[in-house]
Amino acid sequence: MYRVEDSQLSVYDFVPPFSGSLDRTNRWVRLAESLDWPALEKAYAGNFAAGGKEALPVRLAFGSLVIRKALDLSDQQTMLLIRESPYLQYFIGLTEFQNRLPFAVRSLRTFRQRIPAEAVNRAVRLLAQIEREDREEGQGE
């Protein structure tokens, strides 16, 4: 079973550790704002029957795969990095920083079976474009 989220997370909804707020110009925040989460959610929800155990949200599943691919990490490394970074936790849809793994490492294998690699690759290319724009802006200062 898949439950559609009522609303998408904004940078203002995330509670970071140690007070303060997330930087809206961060590459992961910008990527999150650039993705069509409702379309991704609709495609992802098609993988599930009406009943049964509730599935993890698409933002968590898709976002984790994007992080893994973009940073060329193993499943274990992906989970460790997510656990350490408020920006990555925001990107995968957590509403506040937590110092524990948001799901089991083995779930990444299941996510890869349900989410097309090309969708992940498109998001990784978009992240690379954001990073290029940041470098170009930095050179102009």
Side-chain angles (χ1 to χ4, degrees):
M1 174 174 79
Y2 186 77
R3 184 182 314 260
V4 175
E5 294 291 318
D6 291 335
S7 64
Q8 292 301 324
L9 181 67
S10 84
V11 71
Y12 301 111
D13 296 326
F14 185 82
V15 179
F18 319 119
S19 73
S21 61
L22 296 177
D23 179 358
R24 290 189 56 105
T25 64
N26 176 273
R27 63 186 174 155
W28 295 104
V29 172
R30 291 174 55 203
L31 178 60
E33 292 173 352
S34 300
L35 293 172
D36 186 355
W37 292 110
L40 290 166
E41 188 163 52
K42 184 177 179 183
Y44 182 68
N47 290 299
F48 302 95
K53 185 179 174 189
E54 189 171 319
L56 293 171
V58 70
R59 186 157 172 168
L60 190 139
F62 182 80
S64 298
L65 294 180
V66 171
I67 292 165
R68 184 184 191 282
K69 177 76 174 179
L71 302 178
D72 193 27
L73 303 170
S74 70
D75 289 354
Q76 186 68 34
Q77 290 169 324
T78 301
M79 295 302 294
L80 291 174
L81 199 56
I82 288 171
R83 184 174 154 208
E84 297 169 350
S85 172
Y87 285 98
L88 297 182
Q89 289 189 20
Y90 165 76
F91 182 68
I92 66 169
L94 300 182
T95 57
E96 62 183 310
F97 182 81
Q98 60 186 42
N99 194 23
R100 58 179 162 40
L101 297 177
F103 55 89
V105 174
R106 67 181 175 275
S107 296
L108 284 164
R109 183 175 53 247
T110 304
F111 299 160
R112 285 192 292 274
Q113 294 169 349
R114 293 187 172 137
I115 297 174
E118 183 49 39
V120 173
N121 291 336
R122 277 193 303 271
V124 169
R125 287 191 298 270
L126 183 55
L127 179 63
Q129 178 184 338
I130 289 168
E131 291 170 343
R132 276 191 304 277
E133 290 169 3
D134 286 349
R135 281 192 304 275
E136 289 169 4
E137 287 178 13
Q139 291 173 356
E141 294 178 354

